[in-house]
Amino acid sequence: MRRFTCGAEKQYGGPPPYQQGSSQYQGFGGFARQDPPPPRGADPQLWSWFASVDKDQSGSITADELQRALVNGDWTSFDLDTVKLLMNIFDTDRSGTIGFNEFTGLWKYIKDWQGVFLHFDRDRSGTIDGRELEQALNQFGFRLTPQLLVLLQRKYGSVPVPAAARGYPAAAAPGITFDRFVRACVVVKQLTESFSALDTDRDGWVQLNYEKFLETVLTLP
Amino acid sequence: MRRFTCGAEKQYGGPPPYQQGSSQYQGFGGFARQDPPPPRGADPQLWSWFASVDKDQSGSITADELQRALVNGDWTSFDLDTVKLLMNIFDTDRSGTIGFNEFTGLWKYIKDWQGVFLHFDRDRSGTIDGRELEQALNQFGFRLTPQLLVLLQRKYGSVPVPAAARGYPAAAAPGITFDRFVRACVVVKQLTESFSALDTDRDGWVQLNYEKFLETVLTLP
C-alpha cells in the first residue's frame, strides 16, 4: 500500500519515499491500474500522487481516502481530527472532498509542516518532545507558561502521561507525532486569535457567556 | 484478531461478540497461548477479556493495546483521544497503564456507554445523527442551541460536513461513531462544569485571562 510518510522523513524537503515507484500497480481485481491522464498544465508527479490517494478514481479525495494515505513517521495513522482539519482548510469549494487543485494546496501545506517538524525534532526521535514543542511555539510567536506547555504536551502526546512524569520539563513524557503536532500548533494559534478578538479593550481579560464559551471550543480542530 | 466492537451491537447489554472464542490461540511465535490464571475472586470472564487485550501478557494494558482492542460498530478504530480519555479516568494509580482492577471499572464504563449509544441510535444506523445527539444531551440535562448542536455534530462527526449540509437539522451530515460520541458528551459535560465553576456570581458570564482560557481548553479530552 502506498502511503505518505510524514514527520520522520530524513530527506528534508525531499520527495516522498515511494515516488520511485511506478504509477501502475495491480489492483485488488488483478487488473493493472493506470492513473488517468493529468489535467492540462498539472504537475505530472503531483497528479500521480493525487491519483494514488484517490483509490476509487472518483476524481476527488474523501476524508477516508486521505486518512488511509497519510501516516506518521512511526507508521501510526493520522487522527481523524487532523484529517478533518486538512479537509476543512483545503476543501475550498465545500464539496466535502478534495479535488486536484485543492490537493495542490494541501500537499504544499503538509510539506511545509513536515519541514517545520523536522526542523524542531532536533534529536531526530520522530516525535516532538516538551522542549522541542516550546521552541517551535516560541518561533511561531507564542510564549506559553510552563504549566500550559505541560498541558499541551499531555493533550497531544501519543500516550497518557503517568503522574511520575507530570513535572516540568516532562522529560519522560511521550512525544507528539506529526499529525498531532500540526493540530496542537493550529489549536494554539486559533485560541490565541479567538482570545485576541474577544479581548476588545486589550486588558488581558475576556467575558464570555455559555454559548460563546462552547462555540469557541467547538470550532477548534 | 479479537476486538471489542462498540456501538452497533444489537445485543443490548449482551456479551461481546467474541466471547464464544477460546482464550487459547496461536501466538505469533507459534506457541499456544494460555491466559494466566485469574486473581482470587476475579470474574473469570472479565479476566479472559483483560488477558486478551493485554497482548504482551505484562499484567497491565497500555494505551496502544487498548486502542487495538476497541473498535466502533463500523470497524473503525477508536480515536487516540478517546483511548486517552478512558485511560485518564481509569488509571487510578497513575501508572500509565490499566491493571485488572482498573479494567473492571473501564469495562463497565464502556458497557454503560454502549447502552446509552444503542438507546439513542434510534434508527440503528450505527452512528448518532443530529436529532439523536440532541435527544441524548437533553436526557443528560444539557440543552444546547441548534447552532451549538450543529458545531458539535460537525466536530465529532466522522467526516467533514459539506456546506450543502450545514443547515439545521443537518440531516445529510455524517453521524457520530461510538468513540467520538462518548468524547462529545464528556466534553459538553466538562465544559458546562468548567463554566459553572468559573461563573461564581451566577450571572451567566465568566471572565478569563489568556492562561485560564487555554487551560480550560487543554484539559478537555
Side-chain angles (χ1 to χ4, degrees), chain A residues 47-198:
Chain A
W47 175 256
S48 169
W49 293 335
F50 176 78
S52 76
V53 179
D54 179 24
K55 290 278 178 213
D56 65 357
Q57 301 197 44
S58 64
S60 61
I61 295 170
T62 62
D64 186 53
E65 286 172 337
L66 190 59
Q67 192 173 22
R68 283 169 196 272
L70 295 168
V71 289
N72 292 300
D74 63 356
W75 295 98
T76 54
S77 295
F78 270 37
D79 283 334
L80 177 58
D81 290 298
T82 305
V83 172
K84 286 176 67 181
L85 157 69
L86 296 172
M87 302 274 300
N88 283 331
I89 297 174
F90 291 101
D91 177 23
T92 47
D93 66 0
R94 297 289 165 217
S95 62
T97 57
I98 298 290
F100 179 65
N101 285 338
E102 294 167 338
F103 181 75
T104 309
L106 187 150
W107 180 255
K108 184 178 180 313
Y109 186 80
I110 291 176
K111 272 194 69 178
D112 287 349
W113 270 111
Q114 195 167 13
V116 169
F117 187 90
L118 289 168
H119 177 73
F120 286 104
D121 180 22
R122 296 273 158 85
D123 63 0
R124 290 287 182 268
S125 64
T127 57
I128 295 288
D129 65 28
R131 180 68 62 200
E132 293 165 347
L133 180 65
E134 182 178 11
Q135 287 166 345
L137 290 171
N138 283 352
Q139 189 87 16
F140 297 150
F142 304 114
R143 297 199 176 268
L144 303 194
T145 62
Q147 289 75 19
L148 286 176
L149 283 166
V150 168
L151 290 181
L152 199 64
Q153 206 188 341
R154 213 180 283 174
K155 184 170 172 64
Y156 293 100
S158 52
V159 291
V161 183
R166 286 197 178 183
Y168 180 82
I176 302 174
T177 51
F178 176 81
D179 66 324
R180 295 173 72 87
F181 171 70
V182 172
R183 194 141 52 92
C185 293
V186 171
V187 162
V188 168
K189 178 173 183 285
Q190 194 168 321
L191 279 173
T192 305
E193 287 170 356
S194 292
F195 188 87
S196 181
L198 288 162

Side-chain angles (χ1 to χ4, degrees), chain B residues 1-69:
Chain B
M1 183 179 178
R2 293 153 112 204
R3 302 181 88 182
F4 295 71
T5 322
C6 294
E9 270 289 287
K10 294 289 164 69
Q11 310 130 283
Y12 184 92
Y18 62 82
Q19 79 151 5
Q20 298 82 0
S22 161
S23 67
Q24 234 175 351
Y25 62 90
Q26 291 301 114
F28 282 106
F31 294 96
R33 180 187 130 161
Q34 175 68 55
D35 294 337
R40 188 189 299 268
D43 176 341
Q45 182 65 84
L46 202 60
W47 175 256
S48 169
W49 293 335
F50 176 79
S52 77
V53 179
D54 179 24
K55 289 278 179 213
D56 65 358
Q57 300 196 45
S58 64
S60 62
I61 294 170
T62 63
D64 185 53
E65 285 172 337
L66 191 59
Q67 192 173 21
R68 285 168 195 272

Side-chain angles (χ1 to χ4, degrees), chain A residues 80-81 84 87 94 154-155 157-158 163 180 183 191-192 195 204-210 213 217 220, chain B residues 80-81 84 94 154-155 157-158 160 163 180 183 191-192 195 204-210 213 217 220:
Chain A
L80 177 58
D81 290 298
K84 286 176 67 181
M87 302 274 300
R94 297 289 165 217
R154 213 180 283 174
K155 184 170 172 64
S158 52
R180 295 173 72 87
R183 194 141 52 92
L191 279 173
T192 305
F195 188 87
W205 291 82
V206 295
Q207 265 220 328
L208 299 165
N209 63 14
Y210 180 72
F213 184 67
V217 174
L220 293 171
Chain B
L80 177 57
D81 289 298
K84 286 176 67 182
R94 296 288 164 218
R154 211 179 284 173
K155 183 170 173 65
S158 52
R180 295 173 73 87
R183 194 141 52 91
L191 278 174
T192 305
F195 187 87
W205 290 83
V206 295
Q207 265 220 329
L208 298 165
N209 62 15
Y210 180 71
F213 184 68
V217 174
L220 293 170

Side-chain angles (χ1 to χ4, degrees), chain A residues 33-47:
Chain A
R33 179 187 131 160
Q34 176 68 54
D35 293 336
R40 188 189 298 267
D43 176 341
Q45 181 65 81
L46 202 59
W47 175 256

